[in-house]
Amino acid sequence: MSVTDERERRWRLVLGREARCEGGLSAADQGMDGALEALYNRGDAGSGSAGGGQRSAGLGGSAPRVARWLGDIREYFPTSVVQVMQKDAMDRLGLHQLLLEPEMMEAVEPDVHLVGTLLSLNRVMPDKARESARAVVRRVVDDLERRVAQKTRSLVQGAIDRSVRTHRPRRVADIDWNATIRRNLANYLPEHNTIVPETLVGYGRRSRGVQKDVVLAIDQSGSMASSVVYASVFGAVLASMSTLRTSLVVFDTAVVDLTEQLTDPVEVLFGTQLGGGTHINKAIAYCQGLITKPTDSIFVLISDLYEGGVRAEMLKRVAAMQAAGVQVVVLLALSDEGAPFYDRENASALAEMGVPAFACTPDVFPELMAAAIQGQPLTSWVEKHRDT
């Protein structure tokens, strides 16, 4: 695109559909134009129009339309522009009033995406609107906890129990037959086509004290909103288990440790600040300081891997964790949103190190954690669950 065409495109988006421009708009630009028009459109009656041929506020008072618009602007504009448009919506359209009206929450089904929208507005919300938003977030979080808590605790605790080996299993059900067969291959009797299990390998039972450390590092850039919500809920569930020591860290260009708020995932979520850049290396460096028992630790990085820091240092830190015995898990997304956008170069570099980077749905996350706790090769686990 020439400089002239780009200048014409920009003026068309600024002035609106009545601007005289020779070229048309692409599909993406039409989406941007629609989002701009909803906030700054021309002279809609009853919408606070300024008239005079200039764009003016015209998003109107429709709560569902506002909710869709908030999602659109995050898709079409960078974080800095989204923040300006959200502030304009608050000032021009009285958006805080919509957030306080029951019709707003009744028209839009409270879900993870709405929570992400509300959290992205957190810093510009009036206090009363924040109270209303907190109530909606609480409803969504409580529902998610009910759905995932039992399965997560059951699978994770089972994995902890079965991660210890003993040569004196108490019950037949505690025998690990695959490990027992491998241990006794030298005792194979070909004439009987059988193995004599002189040494049994079984699953032990540990005490109720802390057995594993889990460190969750969550990228809070705007594209990771749904992942932040799910990870906060799972973090709270894991933190409720006495056999785990769970830490939760969120990051963009700064790193914030929210471990103390893990008893209440709503507090965790309102401690995040969606948007901004990404400094993965800095986050990993902080998390390395939280790991005191590498061979009994699981580090879960949830990020799209778009690194704004030092890429080489980031990869070196992951390699150091692995060498120390930490089980490293890298999730490109923890959500139901399908294939995420991510930095493929960084994902490939991690895969070459034996750390597959992949998206994970909330339904299978408990199984993933169980596999990590038992020290299973995650590359094999990913292949097994790729079509799940």
Side-chain angles (χ1 to χ4, degrees), residues 187-229:
N187 301 324
Y188 177 64
L189 301 178
E191 64 273 19
H192 298 288
N193 194 29
T194 189
I195 290 175
V196 178
E198 290 183 354
T199 303
L200 295 177
V201 179
Y203 303 113
R205 293 291 182 267
R206 288 194 174 186
S207 65
R208 296 184 178 180
V210 173
Q211 305 301 326
K212 295 285 185 179
D213 288 351
V214 177
V215 179
L216 300 170
I218 310 170
D219 183 343
Q220 60 176 354
S221 56
S223 61
M224 302 295 293
S226 295
S227 297
V228 170
V229 177

Side-chain angles (χ1 to χ4, degrees), residues 272-284:
T272 64
Q273 185 171 352
L274 295 176
T278 309
H279 202 322
I280 305 172
N281 179 51
K282 183 188 292 186
I284 296 177

Side-chain angles (χ1 to χ4, degrees), residues 309-367:
V310 184
R311 175 180 183 270
E313 285 295 316
M314 174 192 74
L315 297 174
K316 187 182 297 184
R317 290 187 187 281
V318 173
M321 278 188 172
Q322 274 194 303
V326 178
Q327 177 75 293
V328 179
V329 180
V330 177
L331 300 182
L332 303 170
L334 177 57
S335 71
D336 291 309
E337 295 181 343
F341 291 100
Y342 62 95
D343 188 308
R344 295 182 181 276
E345 184 177 357
N346 284 336
S348 296
L350 289 170
E352 290 176 3
M353 296 163 53
V355 181
F358 55 96
C360 179
T361 65
D363 286 342
V364 300
F365 182 75
E367 298 173 29

Side-chain angles (χ1 to χ4, degrees), residues 83-372:
Q83 291 173 345
V84 172
M85 295 179 72
Q86 288 175 348
K87 185 66 167 59
D88 283 349
M90 299 289 283
D91 295 340
R92 291 170 171 262
L93 308 178
L95 183 58
H96 56 284
Q97 293 299 323
L98 284 175
L99 290 172
L100 290 172
E101 293 177 2
E103 289 79 9
M104 174 68 172
M105 300 310 168
E106 291 174 2
V108 182
E109 182 70 23
D111 61 7
V112 171
H113 306 291
L114 179 59
V115 169
T117 296
L118 294 174
L119 294 176
S120 69
L121 287 171
N122 184 32
R123 295 298 184 271
V124 294
M125 271 186 197
D127 290 340
K128 289 185 178 180
R130 190 174 290 110
E131 292 175 9
S132 177
R134 186 179 289 269
V136 174
V137 173
R138 173 72 63 187
R139 287 170 56 192
V140 174
V141 165
D142 287 348
D143 179 62
L144 287 177
E145 271 198 294
R146 283 192 295 269
R147 286 167 44 195
V148 307
Q150 182 176 357
K151 179 180 180 181
T152 301
R153 292 192 186 103
S154 175
L155 287 175
V156 170
Q157 187 58 55
I160 290 173
D161 289 341
R162 297 166 75 86
S163 63
V164 183
R165 293 293 188 263
T166 178
H167 296 308
R168 299 179 63 184
R170 297 179 181 179
R171 303 174 303 168
V172 173
D174 291 337
I175 298 175
D176 183 340
W177 289 108
N178 289 332
T180 296
I181 291 170
R182 287 194 298 270
R183 179 65 63 87
N184 293 278
L185 285 175
N187 301 324
Y188 177 64
L189 301 178
E191 64 273 19
H192 298 288
N193 194 29
T194 189
I195 290 175
V196 178
E198 290 183 354
T199 303
L200 295 177
V201 179
Y203 303 113
R205 293 291 182 267
R206 288 194 174 186
S207 65
R208 296 184 178 180
V210 173
Q211 305 301 326
K212 295 285 185 179
D213 288 351
V214 177
V215 179
L216 300 170
I218 310 170
D219 183 343
Q220 60 176 354
S221 56
S223 61
M224 302 295 293
S226 295
S227 297
V228 170
V229 177
Y230 282 116
S232 299
V233 172
F234 278 114
V237 173
L238 295 173
S240 72
M241 301 179 62
S242 61
T243 48
L244 297 178
R245 180 183 290 109
T246 303
S247 303
L248 187 143
V249 172
V250 297
F251 66 92
D252 41 37
T253 53
V255 179
V256 181
D257 192 329
L258 297 176
T259 302
E260 292 186 0
Q261 282 75 50
L262 270 177
T263 53
D264 186 350
V266 174
E267 291 301 320
V268 172
L269 288 171
F270 276 91
T272 64
Q273 185 171 352
L274 295 176
T278 309
H279 202 322
I280 305 172
N281 179 51
K282 183 188 292 186
I284 296 177
Y286 179 85
C287 293
Q288 282 180 301
L290 299 177
I291 296 173
T292 57
K293 301 183 299 179
T295 56
D296 285 322
S297 297
I298 298 98
F299 173 63
V300 183
L301 172 65
I302 303 175
S303 173
D304 55 18
L305 298 180
Y306 286 106
E307 170 65 310
V310 184
R311 175 180 183 270
E313 285 295 316
M314 174 192 74
L315 297 174
K316 187 182 297 184
R317 290 187 187 281
V318 173
M321 278 188 172
Q322 274 194 303
V326 178
Q327 177 75 293
V328 179
V329 180
V330 177
L331 300 182
L332 303 170
L334 177 57
S335 71
D336 291 309
E337 295 181 343
F341 291 100
Y342 62 95
D343 188 308
R344 295 182 181 276
E345 184 177 357
N346 284 336
S348 296
L350 289 170
E352 290 176 3
M353 296 163 53
V355 181
F358 55 96
C360 179
T361 65
D363 286 342
V364 300
F365 182 75
E367 298 173 29
L368 169 63
M369 288 304 300

